[in-house]
Amino acid sequence: MGKKPVRKACTGDDGKSSEDVRSGLSLGSLWRAYIDNLICVQGRGIPEIATPNDRYMAFAYTVRDRMMYRAAHALHAYMNKDFKIVCYLSAEFLMGPHLGNNLINLGIYDETRQAFKTAGYDIEDFLEQETEPGLGNGGLGRLAACYLDSLATLEIPSIGYGIRYEFGIFDQELSDGWQVERTDMWLHLGNPWEIARPEISFDVKLGGRTEPYRDEEGRYCVRWVPHRIVKGIAYDTPILGYRVGTCNVLRLWKAEATESFDLEAFNHGDYYRAVEDKVVSENLTKVLYPNDTQLQGKQLRLEQQYFFVSCSLQDMIRLHLARGKGLGTFHETYAVQLNDTHPSVAIAELMRILVDDHRMDWETAWHVTKNTFAYTNHTLLPEALEKWSLQLFGALLPRHLEIIFEINRRFLDEVRTKFPGDEGRMARLSLIDETGNRSLRMAHLACVGCHAVNGVAQLHTELLKSTVLRDFYEMSPEKFSNKTNGVTPRRWMVLSNPGLTALITERIGAEWIRNLDDLRRLEEFADDREFHDRWRRVKLDNKKKLASRIREATGIVVDPGTLFDVQAKRIHEYKRQHLNILHIIALYVRIKLNPHTDMTPRTCIFSGKAAPGYFMAKLIIKLITSVAKVINNDPDMEGRLKVVFFPDFNVKNGQRIYPAADLSEQISTAGKEASGTGNMKFALNGALTIGTLDGANVEIREEVGAESFFLFGLTAEQVQEMKLQGYDPSALYASNPRLRGVIELIRGGHFSPENPDLFRPLLDSLTEQDEYMLFADFDSYVDCQAEVAAAYRDTERWTRMSIMNTARMGKFSSDRAIREYCRDIWKAEPVRVGMSGCLEWKPGGRA
Ligand code: 26W
């Protein structure tokens, strides 16, 4: 992949190469290190008895060593310097497999592949072996991972803070066309990328009560007497930037019992009670909640949130004090980003630490806190906005609740001054929802406690300001800004699409990998015949590879020569996978009515997980697989239409899917998808988009040009308008024979002959409510799909559009997004880290 790394070997005094087996990047030292690790770390003295996992581990340690040397250089470069550190707090980090990405960022992917090839190994087998850390649900977690890559690449000192879930997002299997969840076992064969740091550990208090007291100077103070304490242990994963010296860290916290055994209980012979405490503590970080929208007010989830926030803040304070600084300047050292409201209890926690533990006065503490935190909102869906019942919150975090009441009291005073007499506004803005079972609104806490609030796409930010957070926008408009999401081209192109990467680099050089706007230079080749041919050949190659994966996973044979029409994302009603399937059924009906019709052959591919408790989403999966079964077994469909549900959508499978798509389905109801990032990954890899004016689709269309984007559907404004006027899906249903034909086919049990009523809940919800307005967009969608089919038949035109798409995706690099966060919110600057030269470890000196 591109040029050789610019990395000098360490040279000794005699001028001879003394490249270290742990840091050297030559083929010789890499191979030597690999063998050493196989023997010494994995304990496999005879190569024949080494398992694929042994080989993967030995290689992973070889790569990690090189990264740790970068990390050491970085630390040296940071010594005695003053700079801002960005802390990204997120309950989810969907990192994906590390090995390939680290090889790319180290700049040794090609060399290593060569070295292994010489020795008779295929690097693919090593990459294949890695079980990915699935510590996230979808968009929000993956965004955090892309941002860590960009932060390191832009040489911004930063720390990602999160939770080391023992079980990440479940693995998805299909059984009889239904989703079945299997436990994720990512740690079972060992995780070579993390370094446990048992000495970096903090106590976290939970439950109990508060107690007022007077300190030595007679001041009124409060202490928190907890009911229990758990200990958080740090696990560090190095995060290397793309071909730079910067190596940051992802620090994840694991919960453990404070003492392995409760000695008192143990001494009383109550062995089981003593062990129980350990089990309960470790439960805290056992499992990731697999919901990405529907909120469940589970105590364990709040415990997880507070646990990782508390450990992270204690860690920051420890580092700050160790650098000899006072807490009054905390906000000058740290910019802390809250990835949605999940870590927003951090606002109350920092106030508690400053006021209770460090006796800072409230005003100063509030100044520090407000200037430390910034909040990103990722959703407008009301059911996803976090709320905690006061009762639950107060039982777990009694002191935090008091602090939040005080924050609220002072805030409502400000509101009263700015909008005198406006009681309705006060009630709407209050951190406490007084209606029904009183609850705490976390987005409100975040808006009040942060100096910056942002949405993740232009449209989303505008909607935030005009709907969900309107009152906050009117209160402090200066806090609000937009930061359109981005994705890292290193993973989502260089690693996942080596064919396209090589072709692009051959034409315009490799600068685009760190400066994605450079892709514009491809426009020059938009009409170059030879370039067209090669562009198409790369896509076809990628489609063949995916086709063989599909065959392995599902047994379905698909033709790489057909249009690959792909919808890959979490399954949700607002994302409208069922609109896609309604169109497929419409095509099916059309072919059945006229079996010899000339049409563009299509392979419709779906992939995505449903939250285990989300009945409708699971039913949508069953509908897709049922329709697939009928269509794929109908001889009339042969060579025309195929439908596939590719199970277990995760980062690894994403890397196979995005490069192989011709058409990207981004068909959410306008106003519902905050941004989307899959839309960017598809388009970057040359797929054309069929989509609504929702989330970042709007900006993608703006960039690639209306002529290269298949637009359909109502706008967000029209959706709002229609809802206001009283939307009636049954009228549309009655007046649209094509739509009725499709729905009636499902209702009649055509796709579920053994149980004709199977899909009734789904159909009833469409004909009675149609909350996501599929019926309103159906005609527009089907017509637009006809345009797609026609365009695809014009190979030259399609290829041209595909090249233009990729060429104009520069804006959607996560590097651009991170630059904007640094400039507007974090005020953080790069700190360069040299890569050459040895570290000096003086004998007897402080290492
Ligand atoms: C159950 C509580 C809950 C609520 C919301 C868990 C997780 C969430 C997330 C905010 C859902 C999520 O992943 N949102 C997605 O964030 C992406 C990154 O900004 C956006 O691109 C997607 O549009 C948005 O759905």
Side-chain angles (χ1 to χ4, degrees):
M1 234 130 283
K3 288 187 216 124
K4 283 211 159 213
V6 200
R7 167 70 166 82
K8 279 194 229 115
C10 299
T11 47
D13 284 339
D14 58 0
K16 275 198 215 139
S17 171
S18 64
E19 204 179 53
D20 193 275
V21 75
R22 291 204 151 179
S23 62
L25 296 172
S26 72
L27 292 191
S29 61
L30 284 166
W31 186 252
R32 177 72 235 207
Y34 167 69
I35 298 295
D36 275 1
N37 286 330
L38 208 52
I39 296 170
C40 305
V41 183
Q42 294 305 112
R44 299 299 193 189
I46 309 169
E48 287 71 35
I49 61 166
T51 65
N53 192 58
D54 288 325
R55 290 198 288 270
Y56 160 74
M57 296 287 274
F59 184 34
Y61 284 121
T62 304
V63 174
R64 192 185 84 178
D65 282 346
R66 270 110 198 116
M67 296 171 72
M68 296 320 293
Y69 261 86
R70 303 280 169 109
H73 277 290
L75 274 185
H76 277 247
Y78 296 159
M79 287 274 242
N80 308 318
K81 271 201 194 125
D82 208 17
F83 49 82
K84 197 95 176 242
I85 302 170
V86 173
C87 297
Y88 202 84
L89 260 61
S90 180
E92 305 186 7
F93 285 93
L94 196 42
M95 300 301 288
H98 289 290
L99 178 57
N101 197 247
N102 289 335
L103 290 172
I104 300 277
N105 284 10
L106 270 171
I108 58 167
Y109 191 99
D110 284 342
E111 289 76 2
T112 320
R113 188 182 46 202
Q114 203 47 48
F116 278 118
K117 204 169 161 196
T118 315
Y121 293 110
D122 185 349
I123 198 168
E124 283 295 320
D125 296 336
F126 288 81
L127 300 175
E128 198 59 34
Q129 185 60 34
E130 183 169 351
T131 6
E132 70 172 77
L135 308 186
N137 273 286
L140 164 129
R142 182 53 232 177
L143 186 77
C146 283
Y147 282 179
L148 292 190
D149 182 77
S150 285
L151 279 163
T153 298
L154 296 174
E155 304 177 282
I156 309 291
S158 48
I159 307 174
Y161 280 113
I163 300 171
R164 184 178 176 277
Y165 301 104
E166 189 175 333
F167 303 107
I169 188 71
F170 62 86
D171 294 335
Q172 179 193 55
E173 287 178 11
L174 291 177
S175 166
D176 187 30
W178 293 95
Q179 164 173 300
V180 174
E181 298 92 25
R182 299 261 172 255
T183 314
D184 164 52
M185 294 285 189
W186 75 291
L187 288 171
H188 270 216
L189 291 173
N191 173 11
W193 303 104
E194 69 181 9
I195 295 172
R197 302 209 181 273
E199 285 167 316
I200 302 182
S201 102
F202 299 99
D203 283 353
V204 177
K205 302 178 202 166
L206 296 164
R209 59 193 161 79
T210 62
E211 232 174 48
Y213 69 99
R214 300 240 166 230
D215 68 5
E216 317 78 56
E217 288 147 44
R219 283 181 306 182
Y220 175 84
C221 304
V222 178
R223 75 164 70 89
W224 176 13
V225 187
H227 169 67
R228 63 194 165 106
I229 296 176
V230 289
K231 188 167 69 173
I233 311 269
Y235 282 75
D236 288 354
T237 303
I239 306 291
L240 187 64
Y242 177 70
R243 299 196 181 187
V244 289
T246 302
C247 190
N248 290 324
V249 62
L250 169 62
R251 178 160 286 175
L252 302 178
W253 303 101
K254 176 185 192 285
E256 286 191 2
T258 33
E259 299 293 333
S260 317
F261 291 98
D262 176 334
L263 285 179
E264 211 183 326
F266 190 60
N267 287 339
H268 287 93
D270 194 351
Y271 181 77
Y272 284 96
R273 232 229 60 207
V275 177
E276 196 180 271
D277 174 49
K278 186 174 159 63
V279 173
V280 168
S281 299
E282 293 185 354
N283 239 347
L284 212 150
T285 52
K286 271 279 174 248
V287 58
L288 166 78
Y289 278 91
N291 299 329
D292 69 334
T293 45
Q294 199 62 49
L295 189 85
Q296 289 171 292
K298 285 275 193 287
Q299 174 170 331
L300 186 62
R301 193 175 149 90
L302 183 57
E303 287 180 13
Q304 289 183 337
Q305 294 182 353
Y306 176 64
F307 166 77
F308 97 87
V309 156
S310 172
C311 290
S312 307
L313 282 173
Q314 292 187 60
D315 195 38
M316 288 175 226
I317 288 172
R318 172 186 64 91
L319 284 166
H320 189 70
L321 298 179
R323 282 165 101 190
K325 299 180 179 185
L327 289 177
T329 60
F330 186 80
H331 58 290
E332 291 167 17
T333 300
Y334 293 108
V336 181
Q337 192 66 29
L338 306 177
N339 200 20
D340 215 279
T341 53
H342 315 155
S344 59
V345 65
I347 293 160
E349 173 69 351
L350 184 57
M351 284 301 287
R352 188 193 64 79
I353 295 172
L354 296 178
V355 173
D356 289 357
D357 296 352
H358 294 269
R359 307 282 164 81
M360 196 182 269
D361 65 278
W362 183 278
E363 283 75 18
T364 313
W366 187 239
H367 174 81
V368 169
T369 299
K370 225 168 117 167
N371 285 292
T372 297
F373 294 110
Y375 156 57
T376 305
N377 172 289
H378 294 266
T379 183
L380 295 160
L381 299 183
E383 66 269 31
L385 295 176
E386 285 199 303
K387 278 182 179 185
W388 293 106
S389 94
L390 287 195
Q391 208 242 314
L392 190 153
F393 194 94
L396 190 71
L397 302 168
R399 180 57 183 147
H400 296 77
L401 188 57
E402 292 174 359
I403 289 171
I404 287 168
F405 281 146
E406 180 60 15
I407 293 173
N408 197 35
R409 191 185 65 77
R410 288 169 185 247
F411 171 63
L412 291 180
D413 278 350
E414 282 174 43
V415 178
R416 200 173 290 113
T417 311
K418 189 155 179 175
F419 301 98
D422 196 342
E423 288 300 316
R425 186 182 294 267
M426 302 255 293
R428 291 199 306 273
L429 279 166
S430 174
L431 306 198
I432 312 300
D433 183 349
E434 307 275 354
T435 59
N437 188 10
R438 292 172 81 213
S439 60
L440 174 56
R441 300 154 160 165
M442 299 312 270
H444 292 212
L445 174 60
C447 284
V448 174
C450 290
H451 67 280
V453 178
N454 75 281
V456 289
Q458 266 161 28
L459 174 68
H460 171 233
T461 302
E462 288 312 310
L463 289 170
L464 271 183
K465 294 195 291 191
S466 61
T467 62
V468 188
L469 300 181
R470 180 184 181 147
D471 292 312
F472 286 95
Y473 178 61
E474 286 173 4
M475 192 65 200
S476 3
E478 72 290 345
K479 283 189 185 180
F480 286 74
S481 77
N482 173 247
K483 297 287 168 283
T484 298
N485 285 166
V487 301
T488 169
R490 271 74 65 182
R491 182 176 293 273
W492 298 112
M493 182 72 121
V494 181
L495 178 61
S496 57
N497 200 342
L500 207 57
T501 298
L503 177 58
I504 293 170
T505 303
E506 183 190 304
R507 294 293 166 121
I508 65 168
E511 183 53 24
W512 62 273
I513 299 170
R514 59 171 77 259
N515 180 8
L516 204 63
D517 287 325
D518 236 41
L519 285 178
R520 281 257 171 199
R521 293 174 50 206
L522 287 176
E523 285 188 23
E524 199 189 312
F525 306 101
D527 296 306
D528 174 331
R529 292 300 290 266
E530 200 239 351
F531 191 67
H532 272 215
D533 286 347
R534 305 228 355 233
W535 191 267
R536 275 197 299 269
R537 224 176 307 144
V538 170
K539 182 63 80 182
L540 184 63
D541 254 14
N542 294 337
K543 288 164 78 174
K544 285 182 183 162
K545 286 192 191 123
L546 181 61
S548 85
R549 293 279 172 195
I550 288 175
R551 189 178 186 165
E552 266 170 38
T554 66
I556 301 170
V557 178
V558 301
D559 176 2
T562 58
L563 188 167
F564 274 21
D565 170 345
V566 191
Q567 187 168 18
K569 50 180 81 237
R570 285 296 286 252
I571 312 293
H572 200 290
E573 288 164 280
Y574 85 79
K575 295 178 190 279
R576 301 201 293 191
Q577 279 91 355
H578 46 339
L579 177 59
N580 189 343
I581 206 79
L582 294 187
H583 164 249
I584 292 169
I585 298 173
L587 284 181
Y588 167 77
V589 172
R590 200 191 306 159
I591 303 169
K592 284 312 268 184
L593 292 175
N594 186 359
H596 302 294
T597 183
D598 185 27
M599 66 166 288
T600 308
R602 260 187 216 248
T603 302
C604 301
I605 300 167
F606 292 84
S607 200
K609 295 175 185 175
Y614 188 171
F615 170 71
M616 281 297 190
K618 289 182 138 177
L619 196 56
I620 290 173
I621 294 179
K622 177 64 177 170
L623 177 61
I624 296 168
T625 54
S626 304
V627 170
K629 198 167 161 192
V630 170
I631 290 182
N632 299 344
N633 290 305
D634 185 333
D636 288 347
M637 300 299 129
E638 191 56 45
R640 294 162 186 276
L641 189 57
K642 220 151 238 170
V643 182
V644 174
F645 190 96
F646 187 65
D648 206 29
F649 185 55
N650 54 18
V651 175
K652 214 185 216 180
N653 284 328
Q655 289 173 200
R656 295 163 175 149
I657 290 173
Y658 298 119
D662 294 307
L663 184 67
S664 151
E665 298 271 353
Q666 306 302 334
I667 61 177
S668 51
T669 316
K672 298 290 180 191
E673 190 69 271
S675 161
T677 44
N679 46 3
M680 301 168 187
K681 293 163 199 165
F682 277 114
L684 178 63
N685 283 274
L688 301 190
T689 307
I690 182 167
T692 48
L693 283 180
D694 199 14
N697 296 354
V698 178
E699 290 156 75
I700 292 177
R701 180 163 172 269
E702 242 166 56
E703 292 294 304
V704 303
E707 68 287 355
S708 305
F709 188 103
F710 297 96
L711 179 68
F712 77 95
L714 299 173
T715 62
E717 227 171 295
Q718 289 167 332
V719 167
Q720 264 179 10
E721 183 64 15
M722 256 200 179
K723 284 257 159 100
L724 275 177
Q725 287 174 357
Y727 172 62
D728 177 16
S730 62
L732 283 171
Y733 184 69
S735 66
N736 189 336
R738 183 165 59 174
L739 173 60
R740 218 168 41 239
V742 169
I743 298 288
E744 272 164 17
L745 205 57
I746 308 173
R747 202 187 285 282
H750 188 78
F751 303 104
S752 55
E754 68 295 340
N755 181 3
D757 283 342
L758 185 61
F759 300 114
R760 259 198 66 176
L762 198 55
L763 301 177
D764 287 351
S765 115
L766 287 177
T767 49
E768 286 160 25
Q769 285 99 41
D770 193 17
E771 196 189 336
Y772 299 104
M773 302 180 111
L774 280 75
F775 287 6
D777 280 347
F778 178 77
D779 269 346
S780 168
Y781 180 57
V782 174
D783 294 346
C784 190
Q785 283 285 18
E787 282 175 46
V788 169
Y792 191 72
R793 293 164 84 95
D794 183 347
T795 310
E796 282 302 305
R797 180 179 161 216
W798 188 276
T799 311
R800 190 175 195 286
M801 288 197 289
S802 168
I803 295 168
M804 283 304 201
N805 245 270
T806 302
R808 296 175 174 180
M809 285 303 291
K811 171 172 175 184
F812 304 100
S813 167
S814 44
D815 298 346
R816 186 267 316 146
I818 288 299
R819 275 197 201 96
E820 290 179 5
Y821 277 100
C822 285
R823 186 192 62 203
D824 303 340
I825 298 179
W826 301 332
K827 316 287 177 210
E829 289 184 346
V831 180
R832 313 234 178 264
V833 177
M835 273 195 290
S836 56
C838 291
L839 291 173
E840 280 179 40
W841 306 90
K842 292 197 192 91
R846 265 167 53 101

